Amino acid sequence: MKIQGATALVTGANRGLGLAFARALLERGAAKVYAGARDPSSITLPGVVPIKLDVTKEDEVEAAAREASDVNLVINNAGIAKLGPWLGDGAIEDTRSHFEVNVLGPLRVARAFAPVLARNGGGALINVLSVASWINRPLLATYGASKAAAWALTNGLRIELEGQGTQVLGIHAGFIDTDMAREMTGPKTPPQAIVKEAFDALERGDRQVLADEMTRQVYRGLTAEQPVYLSAINAA
């Protein structure tokens, strides 16, 4: 689909990648941009419509779908990332919170907005995933599990929404230079670069985008004779 003239909703739009999405939508000529955040007063970008939206709260997601009933592009960006291994302290609680936000959050949004997108011609749904969808290391163990589940969710939604003409795009990326990744070491991609890759892919009609070189390398390694997720054992 084309962004020029679109009406879009971005979840988690008050900072980081979500803010970059909202800004790029305006720059590319979107007609209206709803910027969702738990606290709408934290939305300071001129030209967007702040909307109260905590993706863990069913009532707020449903209210957002009623308020933003004119959207034809929904960007599931809101997410959390906590550090720690599977066998570390707090792993159960971290798993629960990661799945609540990173899996059930996008699912709630997709369920609420699928009928809206259908009424408005199909449009598109973008899910922000991760290279951690495919490779899991102790640093981001429970986060990676949630992104693997979100990848499965995205793959399923592609099939379920195909009949109503909704393009479902999954974005896989490594570390992005935002507050969420401030404790991570290693190369980080500017959020603007991730957004450009995503929107270019959206306008081409793609269903998946590998937004940086590390992600592309990991993706190629999934089908290697020694798959990358097994090679990671020696690199841990």
Side-chain angles (χ1 to χ4, degrees):
M1 70 169 290
K2 298 299 181 184
I3 294 170
Q4 178 77 36
T7 298
L9 167 74
V10 183
T11 69
N14 57 323
R15 61 192 181 96
L17 186 62
L19 177 58
F21 271 120
R23 183 175 286 116
L25 284 164
L26 295 175
E27 291 171 351
R28 289 192 179 216
K32 184 190 293 186
V33 178
Y34 293 97
R38 292 179 178 179
D39 177 8
S41 68
S42 66
I43 301 292
T44 59
L45 179 65
V48 302
V49 180
I51 186 169
K52 182 173 177 56
L53 180 54
D54 181 339
V55 298
T56 69
K57 296 182 178 178
E58 192 83 29
D59 58 338
E60 290 193 12
V61 174
E62 292 174 354
R66 291 191 297 270
E67 181 177 347
S69 61
D70 52 345
V71 301
N72 60 356
L73 172 58
V74 174
I75 302 176
N76 262 325
N77 165 77
I80 61 171
K82 298 183 179 182
L83 304 182
W86 284 115
L87 303 182
D89 294 340
I92 298 296
E93 292 77 12
D94 286 351
T95 301
R96 185 176 291 111
S97 59
H98 274 130
F99 271 71
E100 185 64 41
V101 179
N102 296 350
V103 184
L104 296 179
L107 176 57
R108 290 186 189 96
V109 171
R111 287 172 58 88
F113 279 90
V116 175
L117 293 173
R119 289 194 299 270
N120 294 328
L125 173 70
I126 295 178
N127 284 348
V128 176
L129 305 172
S130 172
V131 69
S133 304
W134 304 316
I135 188 168
N136 191 290
R137 290 181 176 173
L139 179 67
L140 290 168
T142 62
Y143 169 82
S146 73
K147 287 300 185 178
W151 180 41
L153 168 65
T154 303
N155 291 335
L157 287 172
R158 285 195 190 98
I159 298 170
E160 292 194 34
L161 296 178
E162 179 69 21
Q164 69 176 43
T166 298
Q167 176 186 354
V168 177
L169 174 66
I171 304 170
H172 295 270
F175 294 149
I176 304 172
D177 193 10
T178 65
D179 288 346
M180 184 179 288
R182 64 182 177 274
E183 296 181 51
M184 314 299 183
T185 59
K188 298 177 186 178
T189 304
Q192 298 84 355
I194 301 296
V195 170
K196 182 181 186 305
E197 290 282 342
F199 283 165
D200 288 350
L202 180 73
E203 294 196 324
R204 287 194 303 266
D206 294 351
R207 305 289 179 165
Q208 176 171 277
V209 58
L210 312 179
D212 54 43
E213 183 54 34
M214 181 179 72
T215 299
R216 290 187 282 270
Q217 289 178 7
V218 169
Y219 185 73
R220 289 192 294 268
L222 293 175
T223 57
E225 184 174 348
Q226 175 78 348
V228 67
Y229 49 84
L230 295 181
S231 302
I233 296 171
N234 298 324

